[in-house]
mmCIF file of all heavy atoms in Angstrom:
data_model
loop_
_atom_site.group_PDB
_atom_site.id
_atom_site.type_symbol
_atom_site.label_atom_id
_atom_site.label_comp_id
_atom_site.label_asym_id
_atom_site.label_seq_id
_atom_site.Cartn_x
_atom_site.Cartn_y
_atom_site.Cartn_z
ATOM 1 N N LYS A 774 -1.181 -18.526 -4.396
ATOM 2 C CA LYS A 774 -1.297 -17.916 -5.715
ATOM 3 C C LYS A 774 -2.801 -17.770 -6.098
ATOM 4 O O LYS A 774 -3.120 -16.946 -6.953
ATOM 5 C CB LYS A 774 -0.642 -18.808 -6.793
ATOM 6 C CG LYS A 774 0.845 -18.927 -6.628
ATOM 7 C CD LYS A 774 1.601 -17.724 -7.228
ATOM 8 C CE LYS A 774 3.058 -17.675 -6.913
ATOM 9 N NZ LYS A 774 3.365 -17.168 -5.571
ATOM 10 N N ASP A 775 -3.670 -18.598 -5.467
ATOM 11 C CA ASP A 775 -5.050 -18.657 -5.926
ATOM 12 C C ASP A 775 -6.004 -17.970 -4.929
ATOM 13 O O ASP A 775 -7.138 -18.433 -4.762
ATOM 14 C CB ASP A 775 -5.467 -20.108 -6.186
ATOM 15 C CG ASP A 775 -5.292 -20.953 -4.903
ATOM 16 O OD1 ASP A 775 -4.616 -20.461 -3.980
ATOM 17 O OD2 ASP A 775 -5.853 -22.066 -4.872
ATOM 18 N N LEU A 776 -5.561 -16.878 -4.318
ATOM 19 C CA LEU A 776 -6.505 -16.170 -3.423
ATOM 20 C C LEU A 776 -7.656 -15.584 -4.220
ATOM 21 O O LEU A 776 -7.462 -15.066 -5.321
ATOM 22 C CB LEU A 776 -5.719 -14.961 -2.765
ATOM 23 C CG LEU A 776 -4.691 -15.290 -1.700
ATOM 24 C CD1 LEU A 776 -3.947 -14.001 -1.271
ATOM 25 C CD2 LEU A 776 -5.331 -15.962 -0.488
ATOM 26 N N SER A 777 -8.853 -15.661 -3.599
ATOM 27 C CA SER A 777 -10.003 -15.087 -4.357
ATOM 28 C C SER A 777 -10.152 -13.604 -4.020
ATOM 29 O O SER A 777 -9.440 -13.062 -3.207
ATOM 30 C CB SER A 777 -11.291 -15.837 -4.109
ATOM 31 O OG SER A 777 -11.203 -16.666 -2.977
ATOM 32 N N ARG A 778 -11.159 -13.053 -4.656
ATOM 33 C CA ARG A 778 -11.474 -11.661 -4.367
ATOM 34 C C ARG A 778 -12.992 -11.591 -4.151
ATOM 35 O O ARG A 778 -13.709 -12.452 -4.650
ATOM 36 C CB ARG A 778 -11.179 -10.782 -5.601
ATOM 37 C CG ARG A 778 -9.700 -10.753 -5.990
ATOM 38 C CD ARG A 778 -9.500 -9.893 -7.190
ATOM 39 N NE ARG A 778 -8.123 -9.955 -7.690
ATOM 40 C CZ ARG A 778 -7.139 -9.176 -7.295
ATOM 41 N NH1 ARG A 778 -7.370 -8.269 -6.312
ATOM 42 N NH2 ARG A 778 -5.963 -9.285 -7.794
ATOM 43 N N PRO A 779 -13.480 -10.594 -3.414
ATOM 44 C CA PRO A 779 -14.894 -10.534 -3.094
ATOM 45 C C PRO A 779 -15.737 -10.685 -4.381
ATOM 46 O O PRO A 779 -15.475 -10.002 -5.420
ATOM 47 C CB PRO A 779 -15.081 -9.154 -2.501
ATOM 48 C CG PRO A 779 -13.710 -8.817 -1.923
ATOM 49 C CD PRO A 779 -12.727 -9.505 -2.812
ATOM 50 N N ALA A 780 -16.739 -11.526 -4.284
ATOM 51 C CA ALA A 780 -17.579 -11.790 -5.487
ATOM 52 C C ALA A 780 -18.644 -10.736 -5.686
ATOM 53 O O ALA A 780 -19.144 -10.558 -6.743
ATOM 54 C CB ALA A 780 -18.185 -13.183 -5.326
ATOM 55 N N THR A 781 -18.972 -10.067 -4.597
ATOM 56 C CA THR A 781 -20.048 -9.023 -4.680
ATOM 57 C C THR A 781 -19.403 -7.630 -4.572
ATOM 58 O O THR A 781 -18.323 -7.512 -3.963
ATOM 59 C CB THR A 781 -21.064 -9.197 -3.547
ATOM 60 O OG1 THR A 781 -20.368 -9.482 -2.337
ATOM 61 C CG2 THR A 781 -22.041 -10.357 -3.828
ATOM 62 N N PRO A 782 -20.055 -6.637 -5.133
ATOM 63 C CA PRO A 782 -19.416 -5.319 -5.202
ATOM 64 C C PRO A 782 -19.369 -4.602 -3.818
ATOM 65 O O PRO A 782 -20.190 -4.972 -2.937
ATOM 66 C CB PRO A 782 -20.305 -4.528 -6.165
ATOM 67 C CG PRO A 782 -21.512 -5.291 -6.374
ATOM 68 C CD PRO A 782 -21.328 -6.686 -5.919
ATOM 69 N N PRO A 783 -18.461 -3.651 -3.657
ATOM 70 C CA PRO A 783 -18.298 -3.013 -2.352
ATOM 71 C C PRO A 783 -19.572 -2.409 -1.792
ATOM 72 O O PRO A 783 -19.839 -2.478 -0.589
ATOM 73 C CB PRO A 783 -17.279 -1.893 -2.664
ATOM 74 C CG PRO A 783 -16.486 -2.367 -3.797
ATOM 75 C CD PRO A 783 -17.459 -3.203 -4.620
ATOM 76 N N ASN A 784 -20.432 -1.787 -2.631
ATOM 77 C CA ASN A 784 -21.656 -1.176 -2.065
ATOM 78 C C ASN A 784 -22.622 -2.208 -1.514
ATOM 79 O O ASN A 784 -23.323 -1.953 -0.545
ATOM 80 C CB ASN A 784 -22.312 -0.211 -3.055
ATOM 81 C CG ASN A 784 -22.668 -0.847 -4.347
ATOM 82 O OD1 ASN A 784 -22.346 -2.011 -4.581
ATOM 83 N ND2 ASN A 784 -23.424 -0.144 -5.203
ATOM 84 N N VAL A 785 -22.625 -3.398 -2.105
ATOM 85 C CA VAL A 785 -23.479 -4.503 -1.578
ATOM 86 C C VAL A 785 -22.871 -4.938 -0.243
ATOM 87 O O VAL A 785 -23.584 -5.149 0.745
ATOM 88 C CB VAL A 785 -23.565 -5.627 -2.602
ATOM 89 C CG1 VAL A 785 -24.251 -6.854 -2.002
ATOM 90 C CG2 VAL A 785 -24.266 -5.180 -3.865
ATOM 91 N N ASN A 786 -21.571 -5.158 -0.222
ATOM 92 C CA ASN A 786 -20.900 -5.568 0.997
ATOM 93 C C ASN A 786 -21.134 -4.589 2.114
ATOM 94 O O ASN A 786 -21.308 -4.957 3.287
ATOM 95 C CB ASN A 786 -19.401 -5.781 0.750
ATOM 96 C CG ASN A 786 -19.145 -6.788 -0.310
ATOM 97 O OD1 ASN A 786 -20.009 -7.595 -0.640
ATOM 98 N ND2 ASN A 786 -17.958 -6.740 -0.927
ATOM 99 N N LYS A 787 -21.123 -3.291 1.773
ATOM 100 C CA LYS A 787 -21.397 -2.244 2.803
ATOM 101 C C LYS A 787 -22.755 -2.424 3.405
ATOM 102 O O LYS A 787 -22.909 -2.367 4.632
ATOM 103 C CB LYS A 787 -21.293 -0.887 2.118
ATOM 104 C CG LYS A 787 -21.685 0.278 2.977
ATOM 105 C CD LYS A 787 -21.999 1.559 2.185
ATOM 106 C CE LYS A 787 -23.324 1.484 1.487
ATOM 107 N NZ LYS A 787 -23.671 2.706 0.732
ATOM 108 N N GLN A 788 -23.785 -2.684 2.556
ATOM 109 C CA GLN A 788 -25.127 -2.868 3.058
ATOM 110 C C GLN A 788 -25.230 -4.044 4.005
ATOM 111 O O GLN A 788 -25.855 -3.945 5.053
ATOM 112 C CB GLN A 788 -26.147 -3.069 1.899
ATOM 113 C CG GLN A 788 -26.419 -1.849 1.059
ATOM 114 C CD GLN A 788 -26.934 -0.675 1.878
ATOM 115 O OE1 GLN A 788 -27.256 -0.797 3.067
ATOM 116 N NE2 GLN A 788 -26.924 0.513 1.315
ATOM 117 N N ILE A 789 -24.606 -5.143 3.641
ATOM 118 C CA ILE A 789 -24.661 -6.349 4.482
ATOM 119 C C ILE A 789 -23.969 -6.076 5.817
ATOM 120 O O ILE A 789 -24.505 -6.413 6.881
ATOM 121 C CB ILE A 789 -23.959 -7.530 3.743
ATOM 122 C CG1 ILE A 789 -24.745 -7.883 2.474
ATOM 123 C CG2 ILE A 789 -23.832 -8.752 4.665
ATOM 124 C CD1 ILE A 789 -24.014 -8.824 1.548
ATOM 125 N N PHE A 790 -22.848 -5.402 5.753
ATOM 126 C CA PHE A 790 -22.079 -5.076 6.969
ATOM 127 C C PHE A 790 -22.869 -4.160 7.850
ATOM 128 O O PHE A 790 -22.997 -4.343 9.075
ATOM 129 C CB PHE A 790 -20.736 -4.444 6.511
ATOM 130 C CG PHE A 790 -19.826 -4.069 7.638
ATOM 131 C CD1 PHE A 790 -19.160 -5.050 8.380
ATOM 132 C CD2 PHE A 790 -19.628 -2.736 7.979
ATOM 133 C CE1 PHE A 790 -18.248 -4.649 9.408
ATOM 134 C CE2 PHE A 790 -18.745 -2.367 9.006
ATOM 135 C CZ PHE A 790 -18.110 -3.313 9.712
#
Side-chain angles (χ1 to χ4, degrees):
K774 295 277 169 281
D775 57 347
L776 288 174
S777 16
R778 298 178 187 273
T781 43
N784 57 353
V785 172
N786 301 340
K787 173 197 75 177
Q788 287 305 348
I789 296 168
F790 180 72

